[in-house]
Amino acid sequence: MNHYQIQDLESYFKAYRASVDHPEVFWESIAKENFLWKKPWNNVLSWDFEKPEIRWFDGAELNITENCIDRHLSTKSEQTAILFEPNNPAEPAQHITYAQLSEEVNKMANVLKSQGVNKGDRVCIYLPMIPELAYTVLACARIGAIHSVVFAGFSASALSSRINDCDAKIVVTADGSFRGAKTIDLKAIVDKALKESPQVETVLVAERIHNGTPLKEGRDHYLKPLTDEASSHCEAESMQAEDPLFILYTSGSTGKPKGMVHSCGGYMVYTAYTFKNIFQYQQGDVYWCTADIGWITGHSYILYGPLANGATTLMFEGVPSYPDFGRFWQIVEKHKVNQFYTAPTAIRALAKESTDHVNASDLSSLKVLGSVGEPINEEAWHWYNEQVGKKKSPIVDTWWQTETGGILISPIPYVTPTTPTYATLPFLGVQPALMDADSNEISGNSVEGSLCIKFPWPSIARTIWGDHKRYKETYFTAFPGCYFTGDGASRNEVGYYRITGRVDDVIIVSGHNLGTAPIEDAINEHDEVAESAIVGVPHSIKGNALFGYVILKNQEDNTDLDFLQKDINRLITEKIGPIAKLDIVVFVPGLPKTRSGKIMRRILRKIATKDVSNLGDTSTLLNPEIVAQIRTIVGV
Ligand code: WT7
């Protein structure tokens, strides 16, 4: 039975049952009938969440770029694969066909090879949203090099720590980038980062802003002369299904970012299959995901998922506010976008502006609207549904994570009836469970708990690069035998899931996943700072804003607190990036701590949100008196 595209609720339930009762049979048929394998698998699945070890399609060989490019060439060589819309609306869009994509990726693959990149080597990609980013990602996949894309909004120090963690010897970047009215000197950031990453031997530089950035002799090369010379034929490397395809870093609640490792086979099958169903993509449609390829959303649902389906995927270089707040809608009209996928933070920012911006464009091409990155609040959901979708396009609220590789809980549009703020039902093969504090599964409906997944799906990350122990501790220890997501969720009376937010120390700001620890580490590096703690407080556009409690080494001598706040934010920008800047800073004499020395964030969160009615028992704290002092300073 072919379940490749689900088209009604009854088939969803039937297929879901099959996918849970006989997961191997289910995934084997999806994998066999819809992809190109160089060699079949010996075993569909083996798994052990204790170790943990997960293997899908073991023994199979493939190359994901043959699935994303080559196999479409006989029927779609002149169809647009990537539709590039530049930052500046006056610059023409580029319709990159499958034939051109093939040529560019093969050339880029040959350039990487000529620079000494071999199968298994890590390639750090620090590029803005320009076609070269897509070419480089796919070129790595073509030759079996492991790409590690670092979002080009990250700072030099965030970049170098990611380069060092996976020991990349080559960085692919651009001279600079355009973002709205600004230009950013990306290469200068790379130069700064490489002072801390001396092992990098080669830097390839795409020219985007033509600023004549200085090239370091022997290390740096412009890309264009190399690709001009390169052959447009590069044999696709044969990869084991379980070979790593890429590393992508995500913030953790503690310590350094985690390099999530995704596999070639399972990742391909799952992202392609979810893309086809969750966006109900039909041949000829134009699909647009507004994420940056620096995040997992861009990996899975700008590049791999859509391209594996032979889709036309739009790649936008700019920002929603440039030249004005109507840009997204102008692009939808210009390219007759059929599926539009964005984040609640963007929706809220646009909803604050006049609806004239939306109404000025013809949005009648839209068939499906997607949301991802954080819980979508009721108001934003309705605005999206009414103003953008004109109540005709179902909203797919897609819940997933960097670690999950693909969407796990989501409606299927025109199949699953939607309910505002609910991600609704698990995707095929996904077995969610809500757990209580004693690690017992909560059965029945109208319940709430910690969200776990009981059974592997093909695109689950296989490990954390260089730290399998941390992988086990982070995801497989809190609830033995299950993958723990870090999120809380409720299940309503009809069994729909609603994600309520992180239950750990991760704060989502404008859809960016920020760990409290790295930000606190950055603050604590300030000469005047003794200690700090940050919490998230609700924010009307960003979802959460960062509220920092800072203890100074010498409070009496520091009278210019405004300056200090700016200086702390300068340091955070330097260490992490502007996204992690604090919105509110209060200087306090101490922090509430447990007797084991753990900061009681729960109390700090309540004070920051001015919700002090139920602070709980503070008498067991190491320093109970501090609570009243902090309340006085904050004024609650
Ligand atoms: C965390 C993962 C997956 C791509 C973007 C984020 C939150 C994500 C939703 C949603 C409620 C959501 C969760 C999750 N999240 N999508 N539809 N509803 N929350 O990837 O940076 O790895 O963040 O984002 O808290 O754990 P990420």
Side-chain angles (χ1 to χ4, degrees):
M1 201 188 335
N2 193 343
H3 297 295
Y4 197 63
Q5 194 165 24
I6 301 291
Q7 280 165 338
D8 58 73
L9 198 57
E10 199 191 325
S11 335
Y12 161 79
F13 283 120
K14 240 167 115 183
Y16 184 74
R17 217 2 63 228
S19 74
V20 167
D21 290 346
H22 304 286
E24 284 92 346
V25 177
F26 179 83
W27 287 112
E28 177 157 49
S29 91
I30 299 292
K32 203 186 256 171
E33 291 166 30
N34 302 289
F35 301 91
L36 200 67
W37 302 87
K38 288 171 183 279
K39 190 174 161 241
W41 43 89
N42 310 318
N43 190 21
V44 178
L45 168 68
S46 60
W47 66 291
D48 176 352
F49 274 176
E50 299 293 324
K51 267 183 175 173
E53 186 182 76
I54 303 127
R55 305 182 75 81
W56 281 95
F57 312 115
D58 213 9
E61 287 176 22
L62 75 154
N63 188 290
I64 197 168
T65 68
E66 288 185 334
N67 284 273
C68 289
I69 305 172
D70 303 54
R71 67 165 162 156
H72 307 311
L73 292 176
S74 59
T75 52
K76 296 182 176 156
S77 65
E78 294 313 309
Q79 185 203 299
T80 304
I82 296 178
L83 206 176
F84 173 66
E85 171 68 24
N87 178 63
N88 178 355
E91 190 182 324
Q94 286 181 43
H95 295 258
I96 302 157
T97 64
Y98 273 95
Q100 288 166 331
L101 181 64
S102 170
E103 184 165 334
E104 298 290 350
V105 169
N106 278 276
K107 282 177 171 235
M108 187 66 205
N110 282 322
V111 168
L112 292 175
K113 275 186 159 176
S114 72
Q115 296 297 319
V117 178
N118 293 313
K119 182 174 179 173
D121 289 351
R122 277 76 58 211
V123 175
C124 176
I125 304 176
Y126 187 69
L127 277 166
M129 284 285 283
I130 55 176
E132 286 85 345
L133 171 53
Y135 305 153
T136 312
V137 164
L138 295 165
C140 288
R142 187 124 187 123
I143 64 171
I146 302 171
H147 56 78
S148 165
V149 182
V150 177
F151 171 57
F154 273 134
S155 70
S157 105
L159 173 60
S160 82
S161 68
R162 284 160 177 77
I163 293 172
N164 294 348
D165 184 76
C166 68
D167 197 24
K169 302 277 191 313
I170 177 165
V171 177
V172 184
T173 188
D175 54 358
S177 65
F178 295 122
R179 270 185 83 73
K182 285 192 280 192
T183 50
I184 298 160
D185 203 347
L186 274 193
K187 174 61 168 37
I189 300 174
V190 172
D191 288 338
K192 193 169 169 208
L194 296 194
K195 293 203 174 112
E196 309 296 324
S197 306
Q199 78 279 11
V200 171
E201 294 157 2
T202 310
V203 178
L204 301 180
V205 185
E207 286 159 282
R208 178 58 179 145
I209 65 168
H210 300 275
N211 59 350
T213 184
L215 299 187
K216 186 170 169 193
E217 180 80 41
R219 188 194 70 180
D220 304 352
H221 312 275
Y222 279 128
L223 201 50
K224 185 144 190 316
L226 299 174
T227 44
D228 282 350
E229 293 282 291
S231 148
S232 54
H233 177 78
C234 176
E235 203 55 48
E237 189 71 39
S238 212
M239 304 299 289
Q240 288 284 320
E242 280 299 320
D243 278 342
L245 173 63
F246 65 85
I247 302 170
L248 186 62
Y249 287 88
T250 185
S251 307
S253 54
T254 53
K256 58 177 191 175
K258 298 171 288 194
M260 304 314 305
V261 179
H262 282 285
S263 71
C264 293
Y267 176 82
M268 169 182 76
V269 169
Y270 195 80
T271 53
Y273 183 48
T274 46
F275 172 76
K276 180 74 179 163
N277 281 287
I278 292 170
F279 298 101
Q280 287 288 310
Y281 186 86
Q282 306 296 337
Q283 282 318 311
D285 283 351
V286 175
Y287 160 87
W288 179 20
C289 165
T290 70
D292 193 288
I293 291 173
W295 311 116
I296 191 71
T297 310
H299 282 59
S300 303
Y301 299 112
I302 295 179
L303 295 180
Y304 289 117
L307 295 175
N309 283 284
T312 296
T313 175
L314 195 150
M315 183 174 171
F316 175 44
E317 182 184 29
V319 295
S321 55
Y322 180 81
D324 60 55
F325 284 99
R327 187 69 192 280
F328 272 4
W329 321 126
Q330 292 149 19
I331 296 174
V332 169
E333 175 178 314
K334 178 174 173 191
H335 297 299
K336 300 200 170 43
V337 171
N338 302 110
Q339 292 88 3
F340 177 74
Y341 190 26
T342 195
T345 184
I347 298 167
R348 287 191 299 264
L350 295 171
K352 279 199 95 166
E353 304 300 323
S354 159
T355 48
D356 292 352
H357 287 300
V358 196
N359 295 333
S361 296
D362 175 5
L363 305 182
S364 60
S365 56
L366 289 172
K367 296 193 283 189
V368 177
L369 301 177
S371 171
V372 63
E374 59 188 305
I376 177 166
N377 51 304
E378 191 126 12
E379 217 182 325
W381 196 97
H382 287 296
W383 187 87
Y384 201 25
N385 182 39
E386 286 157 25
Q387 302 300 324
V388 182
K390 320 290 182 202
K391 296 191 180 165
K392 285 196 316 242
S393 296
I395 295 178
V396 289
D397 178 0
T398 64
W399 173 84
W400 59 299
Q401 311 177 294
T402 304
E403 295 85 337
T404 69
I407 297 165
L408 295 194
I409 304 182
S410 171
I412 294 177
Y414 302 99
V415 171
T416 320
T418 58
T419 300
T421 77
Y422 281 81
T424 75
L425 297 172
F427 190 71
L428 304 167
V430 175
Q431 302 186 29
L434 297 180
M435 300 294 190
D436 68 18
D438 301 320
S439 304
N440 296 316
E441 183 174 351
I442 308 166
S443 60
N445 286 343
S446 304
V447 292
E448 187 166 351
S450 294
L451 178 62
C452 289
I453 314 289
K454 294 191 284 189
F455 195 87
W457 60 99
S459 66
I460 182 173
R462 304 297 197 261
T463 189
I464 292 174
W465 184 263
D467 201 347
H468 198 66
K469 187 163 158 269
R470 188 172 178 203
Y471 174 70
K472 179 179 168 120
E473 280 164 5
T474 312
Y475 305 108
F476 299 93
T477 306
F479 299 94
C482 283
Y483 167 82
F484 175 44
T485 66
D487 284 330
S490 63
R491 190 165 50 218
N492 75 2
E493 59 290 348
V494 298
Y496 276 11
Y497 287 87
R498 176 180 195 209
I499 313 304
T500 47
R502 304 291 305 188
V503 294
D504 57 11
D505 291 337
V506 171
I507 305 172
I508 301 183
V509 178
S510 299
H512 300 298
N513 209 332
L514 299 173
T516 52
I519 303 175
E520 288 162 5
D521 289 348
I523 302 171
N524 297 348
E525 277 187 38
H526 194 282
D527 283 345
E528 305 290 332
V529 172
E531 202 183 347
S532 62
I534 59 167
V535 296
V537 292
H539 184 277
S540 64
I541 291 175
K542 299 198 279 190
N544 286 294
L546 297 181
F547 187 114
Y549 294 90
V550 176
I551 310 176
L552 294 172
K553 284 181 184 154
N554 191 337
Q555 207 145 21
E556 286 83 60
D557 289 351
N558 277 300
T559 45
D560 193 351
L561 298 180
D562 275 351
F563 170 77
L564 263 181
Q565 171 162 354
K566 287 205 184 83
D567 211 40
I568 287 170
N569 274 331
R570 178 195 53 76
L571 192 63
I572 293 174
T573 305
E574 190 182 309
K575 298 278 169 197
I576 299 164
I579 183 72
K581 284 202 285 196
L582 307 182
D583 291 79
I584 304 148
V585 177
V586 291
F587 295 96
V588 293
L591 295 168
K593 290 198 176 164
T594 62
R595 285 176 195 275
S596 61
K598 202 169 185 289
I599 298 171
M600 291 288 283
R601 283 174 207 282
R602 189 179 50 80
I603 295 176
L604 294 175
R605 225 174 276 134
K606 285 199 169 255
I607 296 175
T609 52
K610 303 196 174 0
D611 165 27
V612 289
S613 54
N614 180 19
L615 277 185
D617 182 10
T618 54
S619 65
T620 56
L621 290 176
L622 192 63
N623 49 350
E625 70 292 343
I626 200 72
V627 176
Q629 291 177 31
I630 296 178
R631 283 180 62 174
T632 309
I633 294 166
V634 177
V636 284

